[in-house]
């Protein structure tokens, strides 16, 4: 594994000092009475978090904890951007189980490698009845402690290329994948581009579309005669809420990311409010601690590329002719997929819609949980992966010589 270097996070003291200075100079807007979360992140919450970030939060303690996990960096060259190799940061936890399954975990926005950490102890070791996994969780380019993309046009297929080349570089010529948020689309792009290598994919964000009689006649017939369950009706209502009330950020980030980037870069309070709103709105009453929130957001504040770079993925996705959302939400026949449904996800479609994306071999539906499932409900994601890939599961033994035992 040449050119793979162990990595420890070590934010320079000067950056910590600058953050504190900016927080000391922060000015806050007023707020209308009795608005709660309807207008966005409440003033009292942001003031409390900003004050704690300035005077109480211990980044060095958080940094020390993050550094207990095995992290590395390695250069990856994307074919269309050969002149600018990317230094990719990643967590790589190997299991003591010889036949453990290589699993690629792909985050999205506003996530990071931080999301995988609760999964690591649940998947690395196992008893005789459940499979174990070698877990690889990269910081995507422009995120966390990975390098910055310097030229326009870096689309979802390029993120997929980075992740795939990382797995090959680690010696995993066959592997499984897990993704949510942009990780859903990136793992789908991997399924489409590298089906001889990725042998099964699990996702906790589900899109799809109503089955069509022209393209999915059997599914369409079942869909036509089978009423939606109460959970599916609630899911459609949740999806509609997101479109109407929660998707304003999406339009800005997919059309004018540079304009937004000035605030995200210059104002730690602006960055805090922009992301904290999603941590609240996209989870299912998850009991966030202030330390969790500030660790999450500090990874953005101290990221190698800077927080503005992270939102460019939206623009690039919406301005690509190939490998965009429509194509990657459609039917991909070559890789079996597993889907987990959580009620406070931002898209909660009926199961018949999810089955239009490809050969669905595993489904699970939960009564609680939201968008950041690996962080919010790690036991559920771990349970689904073990059920899907374990003995008797639909993808048992799908990775040659790596059945998990």
């Amino acid at each position: 594994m040449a050119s793979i270097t162990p990595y420890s996070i070590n934010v320079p003291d000067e950056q910590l000092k600058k953050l504190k200075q900016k927080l000391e100079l922060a000015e806050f807007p007023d707020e209308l009475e009795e608005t709660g979360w309807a207008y966005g992140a409440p003033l009292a919450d942001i003031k409390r978090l900003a004050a704690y970030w300035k005077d109480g939060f211990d980044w060095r303690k958080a940094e020390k904890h993050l550094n207990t996990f095995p992290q590395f960096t390695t250069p990856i060259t994307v074919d269309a951007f050969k002149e600018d190799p990317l230094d990719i940061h990643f967590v790589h936890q190997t299991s003591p189980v010889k036949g453990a399954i290589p699993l690629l975990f792909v985050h999205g926005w506003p996530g990071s490698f931080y999301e995988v950490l609760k999964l690591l102890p649940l998947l690395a070791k196992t008893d005789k009845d459940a499979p174990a996994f070698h877990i690889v969780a990269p910081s995507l380019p422009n995120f966390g402690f990975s390098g910055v993309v310097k030229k326009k046009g870096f689309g979802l297929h390029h993120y997929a290329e980075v992740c795939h080349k990382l797995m090959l570089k680690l010696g995993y010529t066959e592997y499984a994948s897990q993704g949510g948020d942009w990780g859903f689309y990136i793992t789908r792009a991997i399924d489409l581009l590298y089906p001889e290598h990725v042998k099964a994919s699990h996702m906790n964000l589900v899109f799809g579309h109503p089955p069509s009689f022209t393209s999915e006649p059997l599914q369409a017939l079942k869909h036509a005669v089978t009423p939606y369950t109460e959970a599916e009706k609630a899911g459609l209502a949740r999806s509609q809420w997101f479109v109407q009330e929660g998707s304003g950020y999406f339009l800005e980030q997919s059309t004018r990311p540079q304009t937004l980037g000035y605030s995200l870069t210059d104002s730690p309070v602006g960055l805090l409010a922009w992301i904290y709103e999603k941590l609240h709105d996209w989870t299912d009453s998850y009991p966030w601690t202030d330390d969790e929130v500030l660790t999450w957001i500090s990874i953005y504040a101290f990221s190698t590329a800077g927080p503005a770079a992270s939102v460019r993925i939206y623009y690039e996705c919406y301005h690509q002719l190939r490998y965009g959302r429509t194509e990657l939400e459609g039917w991909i026949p070559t890789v079996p997929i597993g889907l987990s449904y959580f009620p406070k996800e931002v898209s909660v479609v009926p199961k018949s819609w999810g089955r239009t994306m490809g050969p669905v071999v595993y489904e699970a539906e939960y009564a609680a949980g939201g968008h950041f499932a690996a962080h919010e409900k790690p036991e559920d994601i771990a349970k689904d992966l073990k059920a899907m890939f374990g003995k008797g599961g639909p993808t048992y033994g799908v990775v040659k010589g790596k059945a998990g035992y």
Side-chain angles (χ1 to χ4, degrees):
M1 296 190 293
S3 70
I4 294 176
T5 306
Y7 182 83
S8 291
I9 303 166
N10 185 18
V11 174
D13 289 337
E14 185 60 33
Q15 281 189 258
L16 298 178
K17 181 180 178 181
K18 184 184 293 185
L19 173 66
K20 185 177 179 67
Q21 289 172 338
K22 288 184 174 183
L23 289 167
E24 286 173 344
L25 296 171
E27 295 186 21
F28 296 87
D30 66 348
E31 181 180 57
L32 298 177
E33 294 180 1
E34 300 179 356
T35 55
W37 281 88
Y39 282 60
L43 180 60
D45 285 26
I46 298 304
K47 280 188 170 182
R48 184 193 76 253
L49 285 164
Y52 183 55
W53 205 3
K54 177 170 68 76
D55 294 322
F57 176 65
D58 186 348
W59 166 253
R60 293 301 183 201
K61 180 180 177 181
E63 189 178 69
K64 183 178 180 180
H65 172 67
L66 294 174
N67 283 333
T68 63
F69 298 95
Q71 299 170 68
F72 306 86
T73 59
T74 192
I76 299 286
T77 298
V78 175
D79 291 346
F81 298 80
K82 287 183 178 179
E83 64 277 15
D84 293 310
L86 292 162
D87 201 30
I88 299 301
H89 164 263
F90 61 100
V91 172
H92 184 202
Q93 178 178 273
T94 55
S95 169
V97 178
K98 184 177 179 181
I101 302 161
L103 178 71
L104 170 68
F105 178 94
V106 189
H107 70 82
W109 186 93
S112 71
F113 71 95
Y114 187 53
E115 292 177 78
V116 81
L117 301 185
K118 291 183 181 181
L119 277 179
L120 297 182
L122 302 177
L123 295 178
K125 298 181 180 180
T126 185
D127 56 37
K128 63 180 180 179
D129 297 321
F133 297 82
H134 301 308
I135 302 175
V136 180
S139 293
L140 293 172
N142 290 338
F143 289 79
F145 303 104
S146 284
V148 61
V149 177
K150 298 177 181 178
K151 295 185 178 179
K152 66 180 181 179
F154 200 92
L156 295 174
H157 54 304
H158 298 124
Y159 286 96
E161 183 180 343
V162 167
C163 293
H164 174 62
K165 286 183 173 178
L166 175 61
M167 295 301 282
L168 295 184
K169 198 168 189 177
L170 292 171
Y172 301 133
T173 56
E174 293 187 2
Y175 56 91
S177 66
Q178 200 290 324
D181 196 87
W182 285 115
F184 162 85
Y185 289 104
I186 293 167
T187 56
R188 294 285 286 168
I190 295 172
D191 292 351
L192 184 62
L193 294 168
Y194 310 108
E196 68 276 20
H197 296 278
V198 61
K199 296 302 179 179
S201 294
H202 176 269
M203 290 156 281
N204 56 277
L205 174 63
V206 184
F207 285 101
H209 55 80
S212 164
F213 279 100
T214 57
S215 56
E216 304 103 1
L218 182 58
Q219 286 288 348
L221 180 60
K222 292 180 180 178
H223 177 260
V225 300
T226 305
Y228 292 146
T229 65
E230 291 304 311
E232 289 174 331
K233 291 177 184 177
L236 288 171
R238 168 68 174 179
S239 302
Q240 188 60 31
W241 169 85
F242 176 72
V243 171
Q244 292 181 343
E245 300 290 343
S247 61
Y249 81 97
F250 200 106
L251 292 174
E252 181 68 17
Q253 292 182 182
S254 60
T255 56
R256 293 294 185 271
Q258 184 67 22
T259 303
L260 175 63
Y262 298 109
S263 173
L264 299 181
T265 302
D266 186 60
S267 172
V269 171
L271 176 67
L272 168 63
W274 193 250
I275 293 180
Y276 179 59
E277 173 196 281
K278 283 73 177 173
L279 299 184
H280 173 272
D281 285 359
W282 298 357
T283 52
D284 192 2
S285 301
Y286 178 75
W288 291 101
T289 68
D290 289 354
D291 285 287
E292 265 182 304
V293 170
L294 293 174
T295 300
W296 190 295
I297 292 168
S298 292
I299 290 171
Y300 274 82
F302 300 138
S303 62
T304 300
S310 69
V311 302
R312 294 175 191 150
I313 189 172
Y314 288 81
Y315 184 94
E316 300 296 1
C317 173
Y318 269 84
H319 292 80
Q320 293 285 327
L321 296 177
R322 284 293 313 277
Y323 310 113
R325 290 184 71 197
T326 300
E327 182 175 5
L328 297 177
E329 289 174 12
W331 180 264
I332 298 176
T334 48
V335 178
I337 55 178
L339 306 175
S340 295
Y341 293 83
F342 292 90
K344 294 301 181 181
E345 181 54 274
V346 298
S347 169
V348 191
V349 301
K351 291 188 180 69
S352 58
W353 295 25
R355 294 167 190 157
T356 67
M357 297 192 302
V360 176
V361 298
Y362 179 86
E363 293 173 320
E365 184 177 48
Y366 291 96
H371 185 70
F372 306 104
H375 186 82
E376 188 180 358
K377 295 288 184 179
E379 295 84 3
D380 291 340
I381 294 295
K383 180 178 70 174
D384 289 343
L385 289 168
K386 290 177 180 180
M388 182 174 169
F389 290 94
K391 291 178 180 178
T395 57
Y396 171 64
V398 71
V399 177
K400 198 178 304 179
K402 301 287 184 181
Y405 300 88

